[in-house]
């Protein structure tokens, strides 16, 4: 069974800081990995998708890396802003016994607070 | 990308009643998914809904409690039947776009359900 862990569970930083969120998964036989953002009481917004053959993806101030063999991904946020405050979720597609390419397994998320 | 809408956005329901949640996608998709997010928790997959076939339910979820319809390639409904306070959650509709390792998943804004 695929399991996804995110560390830290919560993070509070002053505005302008660069920060790293961590995600690890137990089975490296994944098809891809997605990072999402969730604002309180809202749905999920897809931030970045990394295919299993890729090592990183960038979008604006966000950079996600993938080390499939070690079962790790990081989300780097540069020059954080108060508007970045949200829960960030990591999800992997595939892996685990009977893993398929249509199931996403989610971590519990990191609650990020950026203080002005 | 895909834009997904859900109705209702929130509801307060009495124990023993049922609620049907509607999900509309702005493009044709083969696979749609329904998730539940209980307070303070991450997302749990309820079922996968393919057009033209019966929904596939995850362990712990049954069709009698969560019947799903998928009448066409852009629409799905989830019914939460015979509700109890334990069903209070955010219910999220999701759709998968892309192919192979580049499958990307998109989410609706969620339906916040409170059962009293």
């Amino acid at each position: 069974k695929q399991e996804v862990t995110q560390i830290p569970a919560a993070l509070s930083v002053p505005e302008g800081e660069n920060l790293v969120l961590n995600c690890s998964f137990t089975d490296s036989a994944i098809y891809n990995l997605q990072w999402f953002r969730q604002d309180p009481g809202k749905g999920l917004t897809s931030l970045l998708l990394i295919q299993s053959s890729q090592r990183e993806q960038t979008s604006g101030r966000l950079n996600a890396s993938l080390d499939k063999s070690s079962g790790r991904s990081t989300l780097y946020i540069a020059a954080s802003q108060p508007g970045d405050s949200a829960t960030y979720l990591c999800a992997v597609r595939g892996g685990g016994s009977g893993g398929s390419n249509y199931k996403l397994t989610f971590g519990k998320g990191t609650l990020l607070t950026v203080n002005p | 990308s895909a834009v997904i809408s859900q109705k209702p956005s929130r509801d307060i329901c009495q124990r023993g009643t049922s609620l049907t949640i509607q999900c509309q996608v702005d493009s044709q998709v083969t696979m749609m998914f329904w998730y539940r997010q209980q307070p303070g928790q991450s997302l749990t997959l309820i079922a996968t809904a393919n057009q033209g076939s019966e929904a596939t339910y995850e362990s712990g979820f049954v069709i009698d409690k969560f019947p799903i319809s998928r009448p066409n390639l852009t629409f799905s409904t989830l019914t939460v039947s015979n509700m109890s306070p334990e069903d209070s959650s955010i219910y999220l509709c999701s759709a998968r776009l892309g192919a192979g390792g580049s499958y990307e998943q998109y989410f609706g804004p969620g339906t916040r359900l409170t059962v009293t």
Side-chain angles (χ1 to χ4, degrees):
Chain A
K1 177 185 169 185
Q2 178 74 276
E3 294 183 358
V4 179
T5 303
Q6 290 188 245
I7 295 173
L11 180 64
S12 181
V13 300
E15 181 176 3
E17 269 205 10
N18 303 324
L19 58 99
V20 175
L21 308 180
N22 297 290
C23 171
S24 62
F25 45 96
T26 54
D27 191 324
S28 62
I30 65 169
Y31 291 90
N32 60 33
L33 181 147
Q34 259 181 283
W35 282 95
F36 295 90
R37 167 186 173 140
Q38 185 175 31
D39 292 289
K42 304 292 185 182
L44 277 65
T45 300
S46 179
L47 297 174
L48 288 164
L49 169 73
I50 308 180
Q51 298 183 37
S52 61
S53 59
Q54 297 175 324
R55 294 193 65 84
E56 67 177 319
Q57 282 286 340
T58 298
S59 175
R61 294 183 293 108
L62 305 179
N63 176 278
S65 69
L66 174 64
D67 184 343
K68 187 180 161 185
S69 61
S70 68
R72 293 179 184 176
S73 177
T74 62
L75 179 66
Y76 174 84
I77 302 177
S80 58
Q81 304 170 358
D84 295 330
S85 298
T87 296
Y88 290 79
L89 293 160
C90 168
V92 298
R93 184 180 308 282
S97 61
S100 68
N101 70 351
Y102 70 85
K103 271 192 183 180
L104 279 180
T105 303
F106 283 84
K108 292 187 176 180
T110 294
L111 176 61
L112 173 66
T113 303
V114 181
N115 302 300
Chain B
S1 66
V3 176
I4 302 176
S5 59
Q6 284 184 237
K7 286 195 288 189
S9 58
R10 59 176 60 223
D11 208 340
I12 301 173
C13 300
Q14 296 215 339
R15 181 195 301 259
T17 62
S18 297
L19 175 72
T20 295
I21 302 168
Q22 298 179 10
C23 177
Q24 181 77 49
V25 187
D26 70 344
S27 54
Q28 294 185 337
V29 295
T30 302
M31 298 188 85
M32 294 180 70
F33 308 87
W34 288 96
Y35 288 83
R36 180 173 74 182
Q37 187 176 29
Q38 294 179 303
Q41 302 296 314
S42 190
L43 279 73
T44 301
L45 180 63
I46 297 172
T48 302
N50 290 337
Q51 195 271 333
S53 63
E54 295 289 323
T56 302
Y57 290 81
E58 297 299 303
S59 175
F61 298 97
V62 295
I63 187 171
D64 289 346
K65 175 67 175 177
F66 297 102
I68 288 171
S69 77
R70 183 78 204 274
N72 58 51
L73 290 172
T74 64
F75 188 79
S76 179
T77 67
L78 170 75
T79 298
V80 186
S81 303
N82 188 24
M83 289 184 284
S84 66
E86 291 71 35
D87 294 320
S88 297
S89 292
I90 297 175
Y91 291 85
L92 294 141
C93 171
S94 176
R96 187 187 74 171
L97 274 74
S102 63
Y103 284 127
E104 189 164 0
Q105 206 148 324
Y106 297 88
F107 285 80
T111 295
R112 180 182 288 275
L113 171 61
T114 302
V115 184
T116 60

